[in-house]
Amino acid sequence: MTDTANDALDPADMREQYRTTELSAADLAPEPIAQFTRWFKETAENPAIHEPNAMIVSTATADGRPSSRTVLLKHYDRAGFVFFTNYDSRKGTELAANPYASLLFPWHPLARQIIVTGRAERVGRDETVAYFRTRPHGSQLGAWASRQSSVIASRAELLARYEELAARYPEGTQVPVPPEWGGVRVVPDAVEFWQGHENRLHDRLRYVREDGQDGEGDVTWRVERLAP
Ligand SMILES: Cc1cc2nc3c(=O)[nH]c(=O)nc-3n(C[C@H](O)[C@H](O)[C@H](O)COP(=O)(O)O)c2cc1C
């Protein structure tokens, strides 16, 4: 039916064999944040991976309709994985109604993938302010200029709003943090480490939080192997 059907690349013909070393439960760190740190370091050292901190964040409406987008990881520790966004955006409103998220790190050149699932909560205002202050002046203005995820008439409208803000807050002046902008922390209840292998016999090792409690403290993790 389409005029491109004959010359188009057929994704069904695209096949990669992954030649990597095996991942066993014995090789894993005792908890997922330490394991994430190992893989994140290896990923960051690999020049084939642009923006190793880019992750796909999936959210869903209260009635379960999902949506996904790329966001940058800005902080992580045992308390969880943090990104910054507009709380009034689509993802922000979905999280307000249904506070669970999935974070997926697609590290294809290493034949690796990490999937974090858990409860999402807003970070403290002090944490948001501290991060906002580290952003370049232009990005600070951009956070004000864009009512993220709302429909706008044109790019010109966006640029006009930016120019207006740039005049109000010239370089060197302090830009206040927009009230609707801030951090989201995903507190993991499960973290899966996926390592690709030949013949689709991939390794999938998943840490599952045992206590069901949020936050730091004496958390224990069970590791289970999943069929690829
Ligand atoms: C590489 C990359 C990094 C991005 N980082 C962020 C980010 O850190 N925060 C953010 O709000 N949007 C970020 N975006 C834009 C989002 O993908 C998305 O367009 C925006 O957050 C609106 O999403 P929503 O309408 O689903 O809420 C990034 C996009 C790309 C491609």
Side-chain angles (χ1 to χ4, degrees):
M1 145 82 205
T2 70
D3 55 355
T4 55
N6 288 335
D7 14 294
L9 286 171
D10 184 354
D13 292 337
M14 296 174 174
R15 227 166 247 120
E16 285 274 343
Q17 278 288 3
Y18 304 133
R19 290 181 184 82
T20 56
T21 47
E22 281 176 25
L23 181 68
S24 75
D27 302 327
L28 289 181
E31 51 78 27
I33 301 305
Q35 184 60 33
F36 182 87
T37 300
R38 284 183 196 170
W39 276 24
F40 188 51
K41 187 165 180 291
E42 287 170 24
T43 306
E45 285 165 359
N46 190 315
I49 299 176
H50 179 64
E51 295 196 299
N53 58 329
M55 58 187 184
I56 316 297
V57 176
S58 300
T59 55
T61 57
D63 60 348
R65 287 176 169 235
S67 64
S68 302
R69 75 288 293 155
T70 309
V71 164
L72 297 177
L73 176 74
K74 285 294 168 182
H75 179 74
Y76 74 92
D77 59 21
R78 288 192 185 192
F81 295 79
V82 177
F83 63 89
F84 290 87
T85 195
N86 187 308
Y87 293 138
D88 293 340
S89 65
R90 179 176 182 177
K91 73 184 93 47
T93 51
E94 289 185 2
L95 287 172
N98 177 3
Y100 292 92
S102 159
L103 311 177
L104 185 150
F105 295 85
W107 295 334
H108 304 168
L110 289 169
R112 284 179 174 174
Q113 162 179 274
I114 297 177
I115 302 172
V116 177
T117 54
R119 196 177 165 85
E121 57 189 33
R122 291 185 182 188
V123 306
R125 206 58 196 157
D126 47 346
E127 199 173 334
T128 286
V129 172
Y131 173 68
F132 191 77
R133 293 273 157 262
T134 70
R135 285 165 59 100
H137 185 74
S139 307
Q140 295 185 358
L141 295 176
W144 275 103
S146 165
R147 294 191 187 94
Q148 198 176 52
S149 313
S150 63
V151 174
I152 53 173
S154 64
R155 182 166 178 82
E157 179 188 311
L158 182 67
L159 295 180
R161 190 158 157 72
Y162 183 92
E163 290 310 327
E164 212 178 278
L165 287 156
R168 198 182 319 158
Y169 302 109
E171 190 83 52
T173 59
Q174 183 155 305
V175 181
V177 185
E180 70 285 2
W181 189 93
V184 174
R185 172 175 285 105
V186 176
V187 181
D189 53 35
V191 186
E192 179 191 326
F193 292 82
W194 186 99
Q195 175 75 72
H197 291 295
E198 287 179 351
N199 303 322
R200 300 300 185 245
L201 300 177
H202 316 304
D203 288 319
R204 296 178 65 193
L205 292 172
R206 180 169 65 190
Y207 292 83
V208 181
R209 198 180 185 114
E210 294 268 54
D211 58 3
Q213 285 169 14
D214 286 353
E216 282 180 286
D218 270 349
V219 176
T220 55
W221 296 90
R222 173 179 87 244
V223 175
E224 53 198 16
R225 178 175 284 274
L226 304 176

